[in-house]
């Protein structure tokens, strides 16, 4: 299996410095700074990138779980919300919420909920982030 890489460069101190993140694939790069991370400033931040990774991983894994159970998946849309808050000694990611909507003909709510809950526990990014409470809001559309 491949090893995925990305890199970040930072210049300056925490409050007035600035950084750049590059995806190893070359598909994207973005700027980040204190304001984009801990306030509402322009730019990206590590938590937003974690959210993107988690949403993508969960959607793919849910598709796999549903397909493996014999269902045909029309579409899955997932939003991940990663909350970062000040705590004694710094900042911490305190909550992740996955909000997913799936169009899966022929599945009942109970079967969907069971597969979605198993996916929340089993997708590789969820496993990597298991130190953070993860909530799931899964809906059939």
């Amino acid at each position: 299996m491949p090893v995925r890489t990305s890199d970040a460069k930072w210049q300056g101190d925490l409050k007035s410095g600035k950084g750049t993140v590059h995806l190893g694939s070359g598909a994207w790069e973005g700027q980040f700074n204190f304001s984009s991370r801990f306030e509402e400033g322009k730019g990206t931040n590590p938590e937003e990138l974690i959210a993107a990774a988690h949403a993508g991983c969960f959607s793919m894994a849910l598709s796999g779980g549903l397909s493996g159970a014999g269902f045909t998946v029309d579409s899955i849309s997932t939003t991940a919300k990663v909350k970062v808050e000040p705590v004694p000694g710094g900042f911490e990611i305190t909550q992740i919420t996955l909000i997913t909507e799936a169009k899966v003909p022929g599945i009942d709510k109970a079967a969907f909920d069971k597969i979605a809950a198993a996916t929340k526990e089993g997708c590789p990014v969820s496993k990597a982030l298991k130190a953070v409470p993860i909530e799931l809001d899964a809906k059939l559309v």
Side-chain angles (χ1 to χ4, degrees):
M1 296 297 296
V3 174
R4 306 298 182 196
T5 62
S6 293
D7 67 77
K9 294 183 176 46
W10 186 263
Q11 295 177 306
D13 65 34
L14 176 63
K15 290 266 185 162
S16 63
K18 61 182 178 179
T20 306
V21 176
H22 300 90
L23 298 186
S25 66
W28 183 84
E29 72 175 65
Q31 305 291 317
F32 69 108
N33 55 52
F34 186 89
S35 178
S36 70
R37 186 162 191 201
F38 300 114
E39 298 167 349
E40 296 297 327
K42 287 191 170 203
T44 190
N45 54 71
E47 292 74 25
E48 181 177 58
L49 298 172
I50 289 170
H54 206 173
C57 183
F58 181 84
S59 291
M60 289 180 74
L62 181 56
S63 177
L66 291 164
S67 297
F71 297 100
T72 300
V73 177
D74 283 352
S75 64
I76 297 171
S77 176
T78 303
T79 299
K81 296 181 177 185
V82 175
K83 185 175 187 178
V84 63
E85 297 181 294
V87 297
F91 290 86
E92 185 174 302
I93 295 173
T94 58
Q95 180 70 45
I96 298 171
T97 303
L98 297 170
I99 304 163
T100 194
E101 293 184 346
K103 187 174 181 184
V104 186
I107 194 170
D108 64 43
K109 179 79 169 126
F112 175 72
D113 287 347
K114 182 178 179 181
I115 294 169
T119 302
K120 180 191 87 150
E121 300 301 321
C123 95
V125 173
S126 287
K127 287 179 180 180
L129 299 172
K130 66 183 174 183
V132 179
I134 300 171
E135 292 182 2
L136 175 61
D137 178 3
K139 293 183 177 109
L140 283 169
V141 293

